[in-house]
Amino acid sequence: MSLNFLRKIAMSEQLFDDWDDFMDAVDSLVEKGIVERFVNEDDEVSLRLTDLGRTMSEMMKIKELAKEDMGVEKYRK
């Protein structure tokens, strides 16, 4: 996703007061190796998940499926 597209999303999200807060969050994800920046075919700086990011995404999906399957109360025990 391009940063311009993400800017529109982030600024509509109440979690981020301004663009700098959003970019701090992105920088943190880059430092942790979850996402990486690259220049797309339109010469825009974009983000994509790394292998670690894809793995984490899959684990989050599995966790949500387990919650649905077992019920939230059982899953928390």
Side-chain angles (χ1 to χ4, degrees):
M1 285 186 209
S2 77
L3 287 179
N4 289 331
F5 175 74
L6 291 172
R7 181 180 202 140
K8 292 176 188 173
I9 294 171
M11 294 303 93
S12 66
E13 180 61 47
Q14 294 179 0
L15 293 174
F16 300 107
D17 292 330
D18 59 29
W19 182 243
D20 291 333
D21 289 343
F22 175 73
M23 288 308 299
D24 288 345
V26 169
D27 290 341
S28 176
L29 293 172
V30 170
E31 289 172 12
K32 293 175 182 172
I34 298 169
V35 297
E36 64 184 355
R37 288 185 179 96
F38 71 101
V39 177
N40 66 20
E41 60 276 355
D42 297 325
D43 289 327
E44 295 178 318
V45 175
S46 298
L47 299 171
R48 63 180 160 213
L49 289 172
T50 61
D51 289 340
L52 174 61
R54 283 188 285 283
T55 300
M56 292 178 75
S57 172
E58 286 298 317
M59 294 305 294
M60 291 171 69
K61 288 178 190 175
I62 291 168
K63 183 178 176 181
E64 290 304 313
L65 288 172
K67 283 182 184 179
E68 289 174 13
D69 188 46
M70 296 170 50
V72 174
E73 292 81 20
K74 288 183 180 178
Y75 183 80
R76 288 186 179 159
K77 289 182 182 178

